[in-house]
Amino acid sequence: MKIITTTWSYDDVYPIQDTFLWKSFIENNSKDQFIHIHYNRSNYVDLEKDFEERFGFQYDYILYKVYLLRDQLSNLLDINDLIFCDATDTVCMRCVNNIKPIQNIIFSTEINQYPSSLGGWGDSVQWSADQLYNKEFLNSGLFQTNIVTFKKILDYVIDNILPLNLKTFGGDQGVYTYHYLSQYNPMISLDISSELFLSTYCRNIKDYTLNDLPLFIHDNGYNYGSPRFIENFNLIN
């Protein structure tokens, strides 16, 4: 099992060793299982302008976590099973070697609906009444798959969904949400019971104990007033 994360900045290198993900991961896993893909934004000025015009808010998430990632995956060797993680607000609690491989792709679930508006998506590409009531929404900061399925879903998203040029995507999360609600292949499923992933935004810390937490914690919204599970449970030594 490998971990993949992507970062982008205006430098050639990124201090991945300073992130929550790296610090927590190497406590129980080998650094050889950690794949960090970094992009210097200065090398993609024209693409950034194009993507900003097409997608608006969080266009860079679509560019660096979806569009450019497809070619990067082709360069990866000796990889099959993987978990994609956001770098700056995610913690790996334990060893990943015991995670059961899967043939499909499963995303983390969050209780906050983002993107909040699915304008222009069509009547058939909407959350169901049950999903809205139960607050079962896709979060793209954590997902498990294998390299073959990952390449297939990126191919479909890039070739069929990105050409829609919807500014309501609001980043990669909206792109994957569109794919999920449309029930396209490869089919996406959600970790509704948080067996592997927990995305914390809008959740109440008082509802959890340290023993309740799954293997991966995505403290999403960490810089935007999230509950900060990382600090509350002292998840980083």
Side-chain angles (χ1 to χ4, degrees), residues 52-229:
E52 184 175 19
E53 181 178 340
R54 292 168 60 191
F55 302 113
F57 183 64
Q58 290 198 351
Y59 71 90
D60 50 324
Y61 285 68
I62 300 174
L63 176 60
Y64 296 111
K65 291 179 67 178
V66 178
Y67 184 79
L68 291 176
L69 184 56
R70 176 168 65 173
D71 289 340
Q72 291 290 334
L73 292 185
S74 299
N75 299 325
L76 298 180
L77 303 176
D78 190 29
I79 180 172
N80 185 26
D81 303 303
L82 64 95
I83 293 178
F84 184 94
C85 304
D86 281 351
T88 59
D89 56 3
T90 300
V91 169
C92 177
M93 303 277 285
R94 295 178 291 278
C95 178
V96 300
N97 290 334
N98 294 326
I99 299 174
K100 183 179 179 181
I102 59 174
Q103 298 303 311
N104 59 341
I105 183 167
I106 182 167
F107 279 75
S108 176
T109 304
E110 68 171 301
I111 63 174
N112 176 62
Q113 181 186 342
Y114 181 85
S116 57
S117 172
L118 309 186
W121 291 27
D123 293 340
S124 63
V125 190
Q126 300 290 325
W127 294 106
S128 69
D130 285 343
Q131 289 168 322
L132 290 169
Y133 179 80
N134 294 323
K135 297 183 177 180
E136 298 169 349
F137 306 111
L138 180 150
N139 179 275
S140 63
L142 286 168
F143 57 86
Q144 180 189 357
T145 188
N146 59 76
I147 194 68
V148 173
T149 302
F150 199 6
K151 289 178 179 178
K152 286 181 179 179
I153 198 169
L154 287 178
D155 282 341
Y156 193 89
V157 163
I158 292 169
D159 295 340
N160 298 280
I161 297 179
L162 294 194
L164 297 174
N165 294 327
L166 293 174
K167 286 186 168 61
T168 47
F169 282 147
D172 62 299
Q173 185 155 307
V175 170
Y176 286 123
T177 295
Y178 191 99
H179 188 284
Y180 170 70
L181 293 177
S182 300
Q183 299 184 19
Y184 293 139
N185 288 315
M187 295 284 287
I188 290 174
S189 58
L190 301 184
D191 182 16
I192 293 174
S193 59
S194 297
E195 293 183 11
L196 184 60
F197 308 128
L198 178 67
S199 292
T200 67
Y201 192 67
C202 289
R203 297 185 189 271
N204 190 340
I205 288 178
K206 295 180 181 179
D207 293 336
Y208 298 87
T209 68
L210 184 60
N211 292 331
D212 294 329
L213 302 181
L215 201 155
F216 287 93
I217 308 299
H218 181 204
D219 223 359
N220 54 319
Y222 185 86
N223 296 323
Y224 304 95
S226 80
R228 299 193 176 183
F229 278 54

Side-chain angles (χ1 to χ4, degrees), residues 36-52:
H36 173 216
I37 299 170
H38 178 67
Y39 305 94
N40 185 331
R41 302 179 70 164
S42 301
N43 298 327
Y44 304 97
V45 174
D46 291 339
L47 268 176
E48 287 222 11
K49 290 180 180 178
D50 176 52
F51 271 62
E52 184 175 19

